[in-house]
Amino acid sequence: MLAGLDAEARRLASTTITDLIREDPARASDFALRCGGLYANFARQRYGRAALDALFAIGERAELMVAMRRLLDGALVNPTEGRAALHSALRGDNSTSQVAVEARAQAVAAQARMRVLIEQLEASDVTDIVSVGIGGSDLGPRLMVDALALHDARFKVHFISNVDGNAAQRVLAGLDPKRSAAIVISKTFGTQETLLNGGIVRAWLGNDERLYAVSTNAERVAAFGVPPERTLPMWDWVGGRYSLWSAVGFPIALALGMDRFLELLDGAAAMDAHAATAAPRGNIAVWHALTAVWNRNALHAATQAVLPYDDRLKLLPAYLQQLVMESLGKSVRIAGGAVDVDTVPVWWGGAGTDTQHSFFQALHQGTQIVPADFIGVLRADHPHAQNHAALLANLLAQTEALANGQDSDDPHRHYPGNRPSTLLLLDAVTPHAVGMLVALYEHSVYLQSVLWGINAFDQFGVELGKQVASRLLPALQGDAEADDAVTRALLREFSQRG
């Protein structure tokens, strides 16, 4: 299906982004789209109109819009696990199918329970919340709390994810257990890191009455010491990396307030509607997915940078690493055969302008071309107007400099340019806008998986290392305080395994 892209790339090999823009003045407006408070511009990507036509033709053959409808309607889009992927039902009524309507009813009921628990905590003397989880049970809530929590929020939310005991120790050191509550979040309630950290926090609290849980496994939760009235549900039709919109977002709702949490869901629901109903040529999710496939399979870019120019979004690259690479890091097609093209590139990035003083040297003059998503915010929400002007100037300057480069007689000062980027602008960092932005990436990831014929919703590659670790663990538990014994056990285990 993607075979024609190489021919298009060869045809454009001697045409630069600068050439494309100069020869097509309408490109800046024609390659720009808006959905509510989110603006996207693809004019500085390395494709012309003919290549774009070829991409949209591929999308039509792949029936991307049909695939979007199947996702929202609760079809079996995760066949290797026999599941739907109904995270969209957590945030809106974008389907009339029975399975989606039933899922939506469960989500609304869980939201009502969240509100009751929040009101109970607000009436208590609790000031701090410790959220214990890992992966999808941590990255989404952590991102949203960091981006959206208000300075005068009723609760301050703290996160523990890493099994390294230093992580728990550093978070708990500054808190008063008598004025704290904790949430243990695990889909199966069998995740080793979460249970170990949950045990530390439970002992530190000294009072199970301020212990809450979010899980699908009520039996294990009860055995851990959390009763049903302080347990919120998860469902197998929501994958971990898509779960921040569910009760996994309990820490978000505590940090933002329930009403602002619902605004976050509304923003994601608006992007659901856009992705499912906007014609492909006016559909940001379709453009984003096709652009990603072009950069990977036509330009053969091995990595992708994501560069938010707002400090409140600094955790977005880490969040997207899981969303994109866990979803698309597959080499087997859904039917079981090998994928015959490259799938996901390595995603990485950081917040501007800090990153301009670290890895931007490689972006401008390195031997490998790295496509980039630049994310900016028009409204600052702070009184430092000169700082915000400088921030936006740097954002726009970098996209221009990467595209156009600059010639010089001194080869060390030559900038080759022709480095592709997409510009995404939020009107403001609001719950609604950030919900739209994250949902955009979710749908782009799914549509890429459709184009590659892979399953975006399983993650079997996560399991092998954990299984090996569970076999190694008994060799290390005999004398946990003796460093030399641990070292000898490690060396012995590795020497036996080769």
Side-chain angles (χ1 to χ4, degrees), residues 468-469 471-477 482-498:
V468 175
R471 296 200 297 269
L472 286 171
L473 185 60
L476 303 175
Q477 286 180 320
D483 289 345
D484 56 342
V486 171
T487 302
R488 286 197 301 273
L490 273 172
L491 292 174
R492 183 170 61 252
E493 192 72 29
F494 277 110
S495 66
Q496 291 170 353
R497 292 176 183 272

Side-chain angles (χ1 to χ4, degrees), residues 78 81 83-87 90-91 133-142 185-188 191 214-216 234-249 252 319 322-324 326-327 438 442 456-459 462-463 466:
N78 181 1
E81 296 182 297
R83 296 172 181 169
L86 271 167
H87 43 279
L90 299 170
R91 54 210 194 196
I134 198 165
S137 297
D138 173 78
L139 287 166
R142 191 187 290 259
I185 306 174
S186 173
K187 189 171 185 178
T188 64
T191 305
V214 183
S215 180
T216 61
M234 296 173 70
W235 307 277
D236 62 7
W237 39 265
V238 178
R241 57 194 176 277
Y242 300 90
S243 64
L244 73 89
W245 322 100
S246 72
V248 170
I252 307 173
Y319 173 81
Q322 184 196 24
L323 173 65
V324 181
E326 195 167 274
S327 299
V438 172
E442 287 180 349
F457 301 109
D458 64 18
Q459 59 280 327
V462 175
E463 300 303 320
K466 293 161 69 173

Side-chain angles (χ1 to χ4, degrees), residues 219-422:
E219 185 177 341
R220 286 182 178 175
V221 170
F224 188 78
V226 183
E229 60 266 24
R230 294 201 305 277
T231 302
L232 290 164
M234 296 173 70
W235 307 277
D236 62 7
W237 39 265
V238 178
R241 57 194 176 277
Y242 300 90
S243 64
L244 73 89
W245 322 100
S246 72
V248 170
F250 189 31
I252 307 173
L254 284 161
L256 275 59
M258 193 65 194
D259 289 342
R260 295 183 77 233
F261 177 70
L262 295 178
E263 289 175 24
L264 177 72
L265 304 191
D266 288 343
M271 182 53 67
D272 295 338
H274 171 83
T277 62
R281 294 277 182 165
N283 193 312
I284 301 177
V286 172
W287 273 76
H288 197 275
L290 291 173
T291 299
V293 168
W294 170 263
N295 286 332
R296 187 68 175 122
N297 298 129
L299 302 186
H300 304 288
T303 74
Q304 164 78 36
V306 57
L307 306 165
Y309 272 65
D310 192 295
D311 195 66
R312 294 167 292 182
L313 299 176
K314 65 180 180 293
L315 298 183
L316 183 63
Y319 173 81
L320 291 178
Q321 282 179 330
Q322 184 196 24
L323 173 65
V324 181
M325 297 206 304
E326 195 167 274
S327 299
L328 299 178
K330 316 288 169 61
S331 55
V332 177
R333 294 174 63 86
I334 288 178
V339 177
D340 58 1
V341 295
D342 288 326
T343 58
V344 69
V346 174
W347 274 63
W348 59 290
T353 57
D354 286 346
T355 50
Q356 293 177 194
H357 297 267
S358 57
F359 55 72
F360 266 57
Q361 170 63 39
L363 297 187
H364 283 285
Q365 292 185 308
T367 56
Q368 294 208 10
I369 290 177
V370 180
D373 281 3
F374 283 84
I375 302 168
V377 179
L378 297 179
R379 194 180 78 204
D381 296 321
H382 61 68
H384 312 294
Q386 291 185 353
N387 289 61
H388 191 60
L391 183 70
L392 288 179
N394 275 273
L395 163 66
L396 299 174
Q398 291 295 336
T399 63
E400 180 178 331
L402 286 166
N404 296 336
Q406 182 174 284
D407 203 4
S408 174
D409 293 335
D410 180 351
H412 299 286
R413 289 175 170 80
H414 173 73
Y415 299 87
N418 210 28
R419 312 289 168 116
S421 66
T422 293

